Amino acid sequence: MAFAGEPHSIKEFRIVLPLEVEQYKIGQLWSVAQASKNETGGGDGIEVVDNSPFGEDFGVQPDMPMVAGGKRYTSGQYTHKIYHISKKVPAFIRLLAPTGSLEVVEKAWNAYPYCRTIVSNPDYMKEKFYIVIESFHAPDRGKTENIHGLTGRDLEKREIVDIDVANSRVSQKDYKPEWDPCLVGSEKAGRGPLPKDNNGNWKNEVKPVMCCYKLVKVFFKWWGLQNKVEKTIMNAEFRIFLNFHRQVVCWLDNYYDMTIEDIRAIEDKTKQELDKQRREGDVRGMKEDQ
């Protein structure tokens, strides 16, 4: 896969959670299925093209080995999704955008605790635009300085962004009390809500604890638009990561007793529901201001 030169913008988002690493594995997959349904309807949303196991020879670039935490990963679960977003962007963009430009492709290789996700727009922007997200999930409090093993210019460019699921600011249009970890605890796990504390002291005290280290690289080559687009993308990633992980924490009781076999059955059912929802009903989920 040929990227558009080297990434101009690199951010490492660190998200500390009151969960165990293996617990998050189940919670992430359950929450992805649930969030996908919340974002699909009225012609827009998520289409699951493929969801199957992969091995070392299944699309993983030999020049980009999947490495984090000092270990290489070569097998796991592969997903291929198409995000239909034509009705979630401002109307003037829909008028200007060529056919195919408002469909985004996401391919992910989940070799938990490592995952690589590549987002692209192959029909319109082709090799001029990619987002590469490398996620590693560790049983720590977000203090490991270079868990992705960056070197050279990548390490120099990297900016660390801490996301506090209890205290980072959520936009008014995204906020729901049932997705607020400061209001919602877990009866099954015997855990109360997180404290509202602008200093984020809970991250140094809570048990169990883990951290999602999400390294985001933006490859974008479009004259005159690079800085603006990269800033928009990084702001969107912050918003997505914050909202999603607040949901993962608040939904703990829903997936607390589940196994990976339960999750695969839910994913199969969700694929059918998404296909139906996309054909009918109203547009759902996060939208940009019109």
Side-chain angles (χ1 to χ4, degrees), residues 153-218:
R153 288 175 60 83
D154 281 359
L155 185 58
E156 292 175 6
K157 290 180 180 180
R158 180 196 63 169
E159 177 185 348
I160 296 172
V161 180
D162 289 309
I163 294 179
D164 186 333
V165 294
N167 300 291
S168 290
R169 183 179 178 275
V170 178
S171 70
Q172 185 175 358
K173 60 185 175 183
D174 291 339
Y175 181 81
K176 292 186 178 182
E178 61 267 32
W179 296 347
D180 188 339
C182 295
L183 299 177
V184 179
S186 169
E187 181 177 344
K188 291 182 179 180
R191 302 174 197 167
L194 296 176
K196 191 70 175 176
D197 173 10
N198 291 332
N199 294 320
N201 291 325
W202 70 269
K203 293 187 287 185
N204 299 319
E205 301 169 357
V206 71
K207 292 182 180 180
V209 69
M210 61 161 289
C211 182
C212 302
Y213 293 84
K214 290 187 169 291
L215 186 71
V216 180
K217 299 179 180 179
V218 179

Side-chain angles (χ1 to χ4, degrees), residues 17-51:
L17 300 170
L19 300 170
E20 298 168 353
V21 171
E22 284 305 308
Q23 196 171 54
Y24 179 81
K25 178 181 181 179
I26 299 296
Q28 177 194 34
L29 296 173
W30 188 92
S31 299
V32 165
Q34 183 64 39
S36 296
K37 290 186 285 186
N38 292 342
E39 292 289 329
T40 300
D44 270 10
I46 301 167
E47 175 186 355
V48 179
V49 179
D50 193 3
N51 183 7

Side-chain angles (χ1 to χ4, degrees), residues 60-86:
V60 179
Q61 305 90 323
D63 59 331
M64 289 181 62
M66 301 199 305
V67 177
K71 181 179 178 180
R72 181 172 181 175
Y73 297 87
T74 58
S75 62
Q77 192 78 5
Y78 169 77
T79 56
H80 175 189
K81 301 176 182 178
I82 299 175
Y83 289 74
H84 303 271
I85 59 173
S86 63

